[in-house]
């Protein structure tokens, strides 16, 4: 290390369920260079200062969606957030908001996994199709309909950003709704009626109060708020018109 | 097979259709109206008429207003403005209560939307009572 090595203070929210009654903060002094991300900062802590620190990470390039954390109170991917942007002030790193903490910066994402499963995130063909019939063809317009919503990496930053999910965790939430919408508007899919049941339900889109912070924090530029609000309109139209249409999401 | 049955059972027992579209539609209609007409009404009733700018001072005199309220289109306008503004406000207050941590249950819902309903009924009654 050179003499002019910069050192930043990283305040980490620690929680070890077998030892701690409640989460508490711990401050580490971490030497860093300008190219170091917050993730590299916490990796430095784990490698050199305290091996018991737990956090999730994998790809280091905003593809895998594992390293989401609250950084100075903002839901962020720690791999694309840089220590230099906080220096010389202290940077605060905490587990994602609105989720139970499993340990330190690791959240329990079981609730989200159930939601993900419930939206049936796969193409449900309109009718059975044999191999001989060949591949599905789509026009660029048909691709445009859903493409941006398919970029979700399940990092859960939008859930940490959503005040309504924070107040009511049964709300299906931004990412799951965006992905649900992605399949509903896919020209190859025929599962819309089944999925709309969830959109229309008390766990569905009407929990949203159009805050829009979900879309702001999304690292992949998905616009979940847009998906949620499009589905409010679709759901409301179905609510009032369902008795007029021969078939639909009527229950 | 059992797992499939279990998930199907879960699906049918836990999903209840939300009645939110009713309130959301009234909220949306009220929001649209207040955005379009709110500023104009503030200008006319709060600035232009009292100060006598742009509009003559007697624009909102009793005979003028009575004639407006007795006209079918005027009646409709007054009713829509009062009722939909109320439903918009009720919905916003109800959700804001939730946002600030008052987990509004049926009581708050009844109070918020109930007031809007009462206001709607009074507006309708008064507009009909005033004659045509």
């Amino acid at each position: 290390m050179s003499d002019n090595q910069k050192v930043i203070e990283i305040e980490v929210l620690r929680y070890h369920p077998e030892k701690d009654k409640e989460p508490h903060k711990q401050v580490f002094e971490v030497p860093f260079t300008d190219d170091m991300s917050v993730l590299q900062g916490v990796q430095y802590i784990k490698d050199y200062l305290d091996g018991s620190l737990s956090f999730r990470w994998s790809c280091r390039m905003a593809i895998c969606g594992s390293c989401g954390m609250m950084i100075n109170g903002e839901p962020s991917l720690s791999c694309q957030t840089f220590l230099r942007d906080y220096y010389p002030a202290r940077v605060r790193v905490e587990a994602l908001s609105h989720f139970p903490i499993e340990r330190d910066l690791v959240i329990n994402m079981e609730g989200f996994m159930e939601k993900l499963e419930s939206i049936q995130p796969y193409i449900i063909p309109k009718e059975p199709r044999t191999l001989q019939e060949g591949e599905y063809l789509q026009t660029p317009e048909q691709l445009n309909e859903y493409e941006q919503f398919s970029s979700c990496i399940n990092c859960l930053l939008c859930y940490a950003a959503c005040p309504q999910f924070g107040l009511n965790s049964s709300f299906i939430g931004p990412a799951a709704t965006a992905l649900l919408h992605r399949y509903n508007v896919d020209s190859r899919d025929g599962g819309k009626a089944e999925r709309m049941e969830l959109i229309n339900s008390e766990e569905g889109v009407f929990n949203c109060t159009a805050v829009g912070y979900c879309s702001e924090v999304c690292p992949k530029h998905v616009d979940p708020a847009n998906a949620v609000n499009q589905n409010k309109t679709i759901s409301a139209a179905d609510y009032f018109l369902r008795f007029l249409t021969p078939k639909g999401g009527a229950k | 097979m059992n797992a499939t049955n279990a998930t199907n059972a879960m699906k049918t027992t836990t999903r209840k259709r939300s009645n939110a579209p009713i309130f959301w539609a009234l909220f949306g209609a009220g929001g649209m109206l207040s955005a379009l007409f709110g500023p104009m009404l503030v200008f006319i009733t709060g600035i232009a008429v009292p100060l006598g700018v742009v509009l003559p001072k007697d624009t909102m005199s009793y005979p003028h207003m009575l004639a407006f309220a007795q006209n079918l289109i005027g009646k409709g306008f007054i009713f829509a403005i009062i009722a939909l503004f109320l439903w918009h406000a009720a919905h916003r207050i109800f959700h804001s209560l939730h946002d600030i941590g008052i987990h509004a249950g049926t009581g708050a819902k009844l109070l918020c939307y109930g007031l809007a309903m009462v206001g709607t009924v009074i507006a309708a009654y008064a507009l009909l009572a005033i004659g045509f």
Side-chain angles (χ1 to χ4, degrees):
Chain A
M1 277 180 208
S2 64
D3 289 340
N4 55 3
Q5 174 70 62
K6 283 192 279 189
V7 175
I8 189 168
E9 283 186 335
I10 303 184
E11 177 187 315
V12 186
L13 190 75
R14 303 296 308 266
Y15 178 60
H16 191 316
E18 280 111 48
K19 290 186 200 150
D20 303 331
K21 264 204 196 112
E22 52 187 46
H24 57 94
K25 63 180 187 183
Q26 189 178 357
V27 182
F28 298 94
E29 295 202 336
V30 177
F32 79 103
T33 47
D34 279 347
D35 59 352
M36 272 172 71
S37 63
V38 174
L39 175 64
Q40 284 173 292
V42 290
Q43 283 173 328
Y44 182 93
I45 298 173
K46 189 172 180 72
D47 290 347
Y48 300 103
L49 305 174
D50 184 345
S52 72
L53 180 65
S54 299
F55 52 94
R56 287 196 180 106
W57 66 280
S58 178
C59 77
R60 298 162 287 131
M61 46 190 177
I63 298 289
C64 75
S66 313
C67 70
M69 300 170 190
M70 303 301 286
I71 302 177
N72 276 10
E74 268 182 44
S76 324
L77 289 184
S78 57
C79 67
Q80 59 170 9
T81 309
F82 288 86
L83 290 171
R84 61 171 185 258
D85 294 331
Y86 299 91
Y87 184 78
R90 176 189 281 190
V91 58
R92 193 172 82 247
V93 179
E94 298 159 304
L96 283 179
S97 291
H98 308 151
F99 290 96
I101 298 178
E102 207 150 275
R103 185 169 157 158
D104 295 334
L105 303 171
V106 177
I107 53 149
N108 179 332
M109 54 192 295
E110 219 164 277
F112 174 71
M113 296 314 287
E114 277 167 28
K115 287 181 176 138
L116 197 55
E117 223 179 303
S118 74
I119 63 161
Q120 308 188 74
Y122 36 81
I123 286 169
I124 302 170
K126 290 190 181 97
E127 59 228 20
R129 197 176 161 99
T130 61
L131 272 180
Q132 283 70 36
E133 287 171 89
E135 65 276 69
Y136 285 97
L137 296 178
Q138 269 184 330
T139 64
E141 287 75 32
Q142 287 170 329
L143 175 67
N144 268 346
E145 281 284 302
Y146 68 83
E147 198 180 18
Q148 65 124 330
F149 300 110
S150 69
S151 306
C152 175
I153 54 172
N154 302 329
C155 66
L156 305 186
L157 298 193
C158 54
Y159 283 78
C162 175
Q164 296 305 335
F165 174 70
L167 291 165
N168 171 18
S169 62
S170 69
F171 172 31
I172 185 79
T177 308
L179 198 59
L180 180 152
H181 188 66
R182 174 252 173 277
Y183 286 98
N184 272 0
V185 295
D186 191 315
S187 59
R188 297 164 292 183
D189 184 85
K192 186 176 175 182
E194 282 173 60
R195 297 195 195 94
M196 284 314 285
E197 216 182 291
L198 183 56
I199 288 286
N200 298 337
S201 74
E202 289 189 340
E203 291 79 43
V205 286
F206 290 102
N207 285 282
C208 164
T209 52
V211 175
Y213 193 29
C214 53
S215 296
E216 241 174 83
V217 300
C218 178
K220 305 310 284 185
H221 307 292
V222 178
D223 190 352
N226 176 290
V228 171
N229 285 291
Q230 280 194 55
N231 278 286
K232 278 185 195 171
T233 314
I234 299 168
S235 175
D238 178 70
Y239 187 87
F240 295 111
L241 302 176
R242 66 195 144 144
F243 305 111
L244 303 176
T245 48
K247 58 179 180 178
K251 274 272 133 69
Chain B
M1 191 65 194
N2 275 336
T4 324
N5 285 340
T7 37
N8 285 342
M10 196 180 77
K11 244 168 125 182
T12 46
T13 49
T14 53
R15 305 260 168 83
K16 196 175 152 215
R17 183 152 192 158
S18 168
N19 59 13
I22 300 169
F23 304 104
W24 183 75
L26 287 164
F27 165 77
M32 175 71 96
L33 266 194
S34 61
L36 291 176
F37 293 108
M40 179 196 78
L41 285 172
V42 169
F43 178 75
I44 293 173
T45 61
I47 299 166
V49 173
L51 298 181
V53 287
V54 187
L55 294 168
K57 271 220 156 173
D58 72 332
T59 305
M60 292 188 70
S61 64
Y62 184 77
H64 273 147
M65 285 292 98
L66 184 66
F68 184 71
Q70 283 178 333
N71 178 288
L72 209 58
I73 296 167
K75 248 185 227 311
F77 179 81
I78 296 172
F79 179 71
I81 290 286
I82 294 177
L84 292 174
F85 273 39
L86 278 172
W87 284 99
H88 180 80
H91 187 78
R92 178 141 282 173
I93 291 168
F94 177 65
H95 279 275
S96 301
L97 282 177
H98 184 62
D99 287 348
I100 58 172
I102 301 168
H103 298 311
T106 318
K109 202 169 191 173
L110 277 176
L111 189 69
C112 290
Y113 296 129
L115 280 174
M117 185 51 120
V118 169
T120 303
V121 171
I122 292 175
Y125 174 78
L127 283 166
L128 290 173
I130 215 163
F132 290 84

